Amino acid sequence: MDIKGTGAIVTGGASGLGGATAALLAGRGAKVTIFDLNADLGNQLAKEIGGHFIKLDVTDADAVEAALQEAEGLHGKARILVNCAGIGPPAKVIGRDGKATPLADFTKVIAINLIGSFNVLSKFAARIHDAGTIGGEEGGVIINTASVAAYDGQIGQAAYAASKGGIVGMTLPIARELARYGIRVATIAPGLFLTPLLMSLPQEAQDSLGRQAPFPSRLGRPEEFARMVAAIIDNPMLNGETIRLDGAIRLAPK
């Protein structure tokens, strides 16, 4: 699909992987709308890239519907969706006090990462499934963000790994279902990337984490994630697949 002139939605697009994705898509001529809870960063980036920002909780069904409508009113029907919104607080099954982790903590991660991604993509797909194709072949592209934790999650990542594993698991069945409408679905599973969370660590800690990757032995750059997004959009044969973007890293148990 041609990125230039196409409407694009990026959830979690105010910073990190989503921010880099929003900037790259806008740089290639897309009409970008950022969905995020951080209004300060979201509005700032939208201004910088000539896009639009909407403050949004991806788990709110009505709010998502309204946000998609607002974006469509500004940029026409979006044909590109990149889901980057997510959280990853660590929590062991059994805490230091010997008690089970609160169920609400586990549920929140699943709700935002997995259910939130499905909430946005399902409503996005419903809006464009009968809109016809662009160039006679493609109707749209949906790209979700998983993690290498879906395959080798570490101790303390039960909720995070489960949420990302769910994203991997739903990729193929949704791609199969939406194929009749010319809508492709793919997932990126990044390894250790230089997101705002890791940027807050001392440089020594960042370097140590980066050395875990065989090559390149460093933290991934958000721009490299964004380039993978663009590659998926550009290539119509990429469909129903989860791509590890991780420098060949395999996470240790802890």
Side-chain angles (χ1 to χ4, degrees):
M1 176 172 286
D2 190 0
I3 294 174
K4 186 176 181 180
T6 303
I9 306 290
V10 183
T11 74
S15 62
L17 303 181
T21 297
L24 183 145
L25 293 178
R28 289 190 52 176
K31 296 175 286 187
V32 177
T33 301
I34 296 169
F35 291 173
D36 204 293
L37 282 174
N38 193 320
D40 291 338
L41 290 179
N43 279 310
Q44 178 181 335
L45 180 59
K47 184 178 180 180
E48 291 174 0
I49 67 175
H52 181 62
F53 171 75
I54 300 175
K55 185 175 181 179
L56 179 71
D57 176 353
V58 295
T59 67
D60 187 327
D62 292 338
V64 167
E65 191 65 60
L68 290 171
Q69 179 64 45
E70 181 178 336
E72 185 174 319
L74 288 169
H75 297 149
K77 284 190 181 294
R79 300 298 188 123
I80 297 168
L81 168 65
V82 186
N83 273 320
C84 292
I87 60 173
K92 293 184 178 180
V93 176
I94 303 172
R96 292 181 178 178
D97 59 2
K99 297 180 180 179
T101 188
L103 183 59
D105 293 351
F106 185 92
T107 301
K108 182 178 180 180
V109 176
I110 300 297
I112 294 174
N113 294 1
L114 177 57
I115 298 174
S117 294
F118 181 83
N119 185 31
V120 180
L121 78 83
S122 62
K123 290 173 176 55
F124 172 86
R127 296 187 75 87
I128 67 169
H129 81 282
D130 58 355
T133 59
I134 298 174
E137 185 172 44
E138 292 191 79
V141 182
I142 297 170
I143 301 172
N144 295 315
T145 304
S147 166
V148 294
Y151 304 99
D152 32 82
Q154 297 180 298
I155 293 171
Q157 288 186 327
Y160 184 71
S163 70
K164 297 304 187 178
I167 290 174
V168 172
M170 72 181 182
T171 300
L172 181 58
I174 295 176
R176 286 172 163 172
E177 177 183 346
L178 300 184
R180 70 188 69 182
Y181 309 116
I183 300 172
R184 293 187 287 120
V185 182
T187 294
I188 302 172
L192 299 177
F193 271 69
L194 195 57
T195 59
L197 176 62
L198 291 187
M199 288 175 66
S200 67
L201 297 176
Q203 187 62 49
E204 183 179 351
Q206 293 181 31
D207 293 342
S208 176
L209 288 170
R211 284 193 292 270
Q212 294 181 31
F215 184 82
S217 295
R218 57 169 172 78
L219 296 175
R221 299 171 182 137
E223 294 77 13
E224 292 167 328
F225 176 92
R227 284 162 56 190
M228 178 55 70
V229 168
I232 293 171
I233 296 169
D234 285 338
N235 193 329
M237 283 301 288
L238 267 172
N239 192 20
E241 185 58 86
T242 297
I243 302 168
R244 287 185 68 134
L245 189 66
D246 60 12
I249 198 171
R250 296 299 181 268
L251 300 180
K254 59 182 178 179

PDB file of all heavy atoms in Angstrom, residues 53-69:
ATOM      1  N   PHE A  53      -3.832  14.963  17.088  1.00  0.00           N
ATOM      2  CA  PHE A  53      -3.788  14.165  18.315  1.00  0.00           C
ATOM      3  C   PHE A  53      -5.168  14.064  18.938  1.00  0.00           C
ATOM      4  O   PHE A  53      -5.920  15.040  18.985  1.00  0.00           O
ATOM      5  CB  PHE A  53      -2.838  14.781  19.340  1.00  0.00           C
ATOM      6  CG  PHE A  53      -2.917  14.133  20.699  1.00  0.00           C
ATOM      7  CD1 PHE A  53      -2.340  12.885  20.915  1.00  0.00           C
ATOM      8  CD2 PHE A  53      -3.593  14.738  21.754  1.00  0.00           C
ATOM      9  CE1 PHE A  53      -2.433  12.260  22.152  1.00  0.00           C
ATOM     10  CE2 PHE A  53      -3.688  14.130  22.995  1.00  0.00           C
ATOM     11  CZ  PHE A  53      -3.104  12.879  23.189  1.00  0.00           C
ATOM     12  N   ILE A  54      -5.487  12.849  19.436  1.00  0.00           N
ATOM     13  CA  ILE A  54      -6.720  12.616  20.181  1.00  0.00           C
ATOM     14  C   ILE A  54      -6.361  11.860  21.456  1.00  0.00           C
ATOM     15  O   ILE A  54      -5.761  10.781  21.394  1.00  0.00           O
ATOM     16  CB  ILE A  54      -7.737  11.789  19.367  1.00  0.00           C
ATOM     17  CG1 ILE A  54      -8.095  12.520  18.070  1.00  0.00           C
ATOM     18  CG2 ILE A  54      -9.000  11.541  20.206  1.00  0.00           C
ATOM     19  CD1 ILE A  54      -8.995  11.706  17.153  1.00  0.00           C
ATOM     20  N   LYS A  55      -6.719  12.437  22.598  1.00  0.00           N
ATOM     21  CA  LYS A  55      -6.488  11.746  23.860  1.00  0.00           C
ATOM     22  C   LYS A  55      -7.457  10.581  23.959  1.00  0.00           C
ATOM     23  O   LYS A  55      -8.670  10.750  23.808  1.00  0.00           O
ATOM     24  CB  LYS A  55      -6.677  12.708  25.037  1.00  0.00           C
ATOM     25  CG  LYS A  55      -6.331  12.083  26.383  1.00  0.00           C
ATOM     26  CD  LYS A  55      -6.406  13.105  27.514  1.00  0.00           C
ATOM     27  CE  LYS A  55      -6.035  12.472  28.847  1.00  0.00           C
ATOM     28  NZ  LYS A  55      -6.077  13.453  29.964  1.00  0.00           N
ATOM     29  N   LEU A  56      -6.917   9.390  24.231  1.00  0.00           N
ATOM     30  CA  LEU A  56      -7.757   8.200  24.140  1.00  0.00           C
ATOM     31  C   LEU A  56      -7.287   7.070  25.044  1.00  0.00           C
ATOM     32  O   LEU A  56      -6.095   6.787  25.133  1.00  0.00           O
ATOM     33  CB  LEU A  56      -7.760   7.691  22.687  1.00  0.00           C
ATOM     34  CG  LEU A  56      -8.582   6.420  22.435  1.00  0.00           C
ATOM     35  CD1 LEU A  56     -10.068   6.718  22.546  1.00  0.00           C
ATOM     36  CD2 LEU A  56      -8.255   5.824  21.083  1.00  0.00           C
ATOM     37  N   ASP A  57      -8.246   6.428  25.693  1.00  0.00           N
ATOM     38  CA  ASP A  57      -8.036   5.172  26.406  1.00  0.00           C
ATOM     39  C   ASP A  57      -8.476   4.061  25.462  1.00  0.00           C
ATOM     40  O   ASP A  57      -9.654   3.962  25.106  1.00  0.00           O
ATOM     41  CB  ASP A  57      -8.881   5.168  27.685  1.00  0.00           C
ATOM     42  CG  ASP A  57      -8.801   3.856  28.459  1.00  0.00           C
ATOM     43  OD1 ASP A  57      -8.192   2.889  27.961  1.00  0.00           O
ATOM     44  OD2 ASP A  57      -9.382   3.798  29.559  1.00  0.00           O
ATOM     45  N   VAL A  58      -7.537   3.228  25.038  1.00  0.00           N
ATOM     46  CA  VAL A  58      -7.850   2.213  24.026  1.00  0.00           C
ATOM     47  C   VAL A  58      -8.816   1.142  24.525  1.00  0.00           C
ATOM     48  O   VAL A  58      -9.347   0.366  23.718  1.00  0.00           O
ATOM     49  CB  VAL A  58      -6.567   1.535  23.493  1.00  0.00           C
ATOM     50  CG1 VAL A  58      -5.705   2.535  22.738  1.00  0.00           C
ATOM     51  CG2 VAL A  58      -5.784   0.861  24.620  1.00  0.00           C
ATOM     52  N   THR A  59      -9.059   1.089  25.816  1.00  0.00           N
ATOM     53  CA  THR A  59     -10.002   0.093  26.339  1.00  0.00           C
ATOM     54  C   THR A  59     -11.438   0.613  26.371  1.00  0.00           C
ATOM     55  O   THR A  59     -12.362  -0.130  26.708  1.00  0.00           O
ATOM     56  CB  THR A  59      -9.615  -0.353  27.763  1.00  0.00           C
ATOM     57  OG1 THR A  59      -9.777   0.752  28.678  1.00  0.00           O
ATOM     58  CG2 THR A  59      -8.172  -0.833  27.809  1.00  0.00           C
ATOM     59  N   ASP A  60     -11.645   1.864  26.034  1.00  0.00           N
ATOM     60  CA  ASP A  60     -12.974   2.484  26.059  1.00  0.00           C
ATOM     61  C   ASP A  60     -13.612   2.357  24.684  1.00  0.00           C
ATOM     62  O   ASP A  60     -13.223   3.053  23.742  1.00  0.00           O
ATOM     63  CB  ASP A  60     -12.837   3.954  26.465  1.00  0.00           C
ATOM     64  CG  ASP A  60     -14.174   4.643  26.678  1.00  0.00           C
ATOM     65  OD1 ASP A  60     -15.152   4.303  25.982  1.00  0.00           O
ATOM     66  OD2 ASP A  60     -14.250   5.539  27.536  1.00  0.00           O
ATOM     67  N   ALA A  61     -14.594   1.483  24.551  1.00  0.00           N
ATOM     68  CA  ALA A  61     -15.198   1.194  23.253  1.00  0.00           C
ATOM     69  C   ALA A  61     -15.828   2.429  22.621  1.00  0.00           C
ATOM     70  O   ALA A  61     -15.629   2.711  21.435  1.00  0.00           O
ATOM     71  CB  ALA A  61     -16.235   0.084  23.395  1.00  0.00           C
ATOM     72  N   ASP A  62     -16.600   3.175  23.391  1.00  0.00           N
ATOM     73  CA  ASP A  62     -17.265   4.356  22.842  1.00  0.00           C
ATOM     74  C   ASP A  62     -16.262   5.430  22.447  1.00  0.00           C
ATOM     75  O   ASP A  62     -16.413   6.101  21.412  1.00  0.00           O
ATOM     76  CB  ASP A  62     -18.262   4.920  23.854  1.00  0.00           C
ATOM     77  CG  ASP A  62     -19.453   4.005  24.088  1.00  0.00           C
ATOM     78  OD1 ASP A  62     -19.736   3.173  23.209  1.00  0.00           O
ATOM     79  OD2 ASP A  62     -20.088   4.113  25.154  1.00  0.00           O
ATOM     80  N   ALA A  63     -15.236   5.605  23.263  1.00  0.00           N
ATOM     81  CA  ALA A  63     -14.220   6.620  22.970  1.00  0.00           C
ATOM     82  C   ALA A  63     -13.447   6.276  21.704  1.00  0.00           C
ATOM     83  O   ALA A  63     -13.113   7.166  20.905  1.00  0.00           O
ATOM     84  CB  ALA A  63     -13.267   6.765  24.150  1.00  0.00           C
ATOM     85  N   VAL A  64     -13.162   5.002  21.500  1.00  0.00           N
ATOM     86  CA  VAL A  64     -12.452   4.581  20.288  1.00  0.00           C
ATOM     87  C   VAL A  64     -13.300   4.866  19.051  1.00  0.00           C
ATOM     88  O   VAL A  64     -12.814   5.383  18.044  1.00  0.00           O
ATOM     89  CB  VAL A  64     -12.075   3.091  20.358  1.00  0.00           C
ATOM     90  CG1 VAL A  64     -11.628   2.575  18.992  1.00  0.00           C
ATOM     91  CG2 VAL A  64     -10.968   2.876  21.380  1.00  0.00           C
ATOM     92  N   GLU A  65     -14.565   4.538  19.125  1.00  0.00           N
ATOM     93  CA  GLU A  65     -15.464   4.800  17.996  1.00  0.00           C
ATOM     94  C   GLU A  65     -15.507   6.286  17.677  1.00  0.00           C
ATOM     95  O   GLU A  65     -15.440   6.690  16.504  1.00  0.00           O
ATOM     96  CB  GLU A  65     -16.866   4.292  18.322  1.00  0.00           C
ATOM     97  CG  GLU A  65     -17.816   4.257  17.138  1.00  0.00           C
ATOM     98  CD  GLU A  65     -17.383   3.275  16.072  1.00  0.00           C
ATOM     99  OE1 GLU A  65     -17.277   2.080  16.365  1.00  0.00           O
ATOM    100  OE2 GLU A  65     -17.133   3.731  14.920  1.00  0.00           O
ATOM    101  N   ALA A  66     -15.605   7.110  18.714  1.00  0.00           N
ATOM    102  CA  ALA A  66     -15.656   8.552  18.509  1.00  0.00           C
ATOM    103  C   ALA A  66     -14.339   9.085  17.940  1.00  0.00           C
ATOM    104  O   ALA A  66     -14.333   9.980  17.083  1.00  0.00           O
ATOM    105  CB  ALA A  66     -15.982   9.253  19.828  1.00  0.00           C
ATOM    106  N   ALA A  67     -13.219   8.546  18.411  1.00  0.00           N
ATOM    107  CA  ALA A  67     -11.911   8.996  17.934  1.00  0.00           C
ATOM    108  C   ALA A  67     -11.713   8.643  16.464  1.00  0.00           C
ATOM    109  O   ALA A  67     -11.175   9.442  15.685  1.00  0.00           O
ATOM    110  CB  ALA A  67     -10.805   8.381  18.782  1.00  0.00           C
ATOM    111  N   LEU A  68     -12.122   7.453  16.076  1.00  0.00           N
ATOM    112  CA  LEU A  68     -12.014   7.055  14.666  1.00  0.00           C
ATOM    113  C   LEU A  68     -12.875   7.951  13.789  1.00  0.00           C
ATOM    114  O   LEU A  68     -12.485   8.319  12.675  1.00  0.00           O
ATOM    115  CB  LEU A  68     -12.412   5.591  14.501  1.00  0.00           C
ATOM    116  CG  LEU A  68     -11.439   4.558  15.074  1.00  0.00           C
ATOM    117  CD1 LEU A  68     -12.057   3.162  15.037  1.00  0.00           C
ATOM    118  CD2 LEU A  68     -10.119   4.561  14.307  1.00  0.00           C
ATOM    119  N   GLN A  69     -14.046   8.306  14.287  1.00  0.00           N
ATOM    120  CA  GLN A  69     -14.926   9.206  13.549  1.00  0.00           C
ATOM    121  C   GLN A  69     -14.290  10.580  13.398  1.00  0.00           C
ATOM    122  O   GLN A  69     -14.336  11.195  12.323  1.00  0.00           O
ATOM    123  CB  GLN A  69     -16.269   9.339  14.271  1.00  0.00           C
ATOM    124  CG  GLN A  69     -17.258  10.287  13.601  1.00  0.00           C
ATOM    125  CD  GLN A  69     -17.682   9.812  12.229  1.00  0.00           C
ATOM    126  OE1 GLN A  69     -17.990   8.629  12.047  1.00  0.00           O
ATOM    127  NE2 GLN A  69     -17.697  10.705  11.264  1.00  0.00           N
TER     128      GLN A  69
END
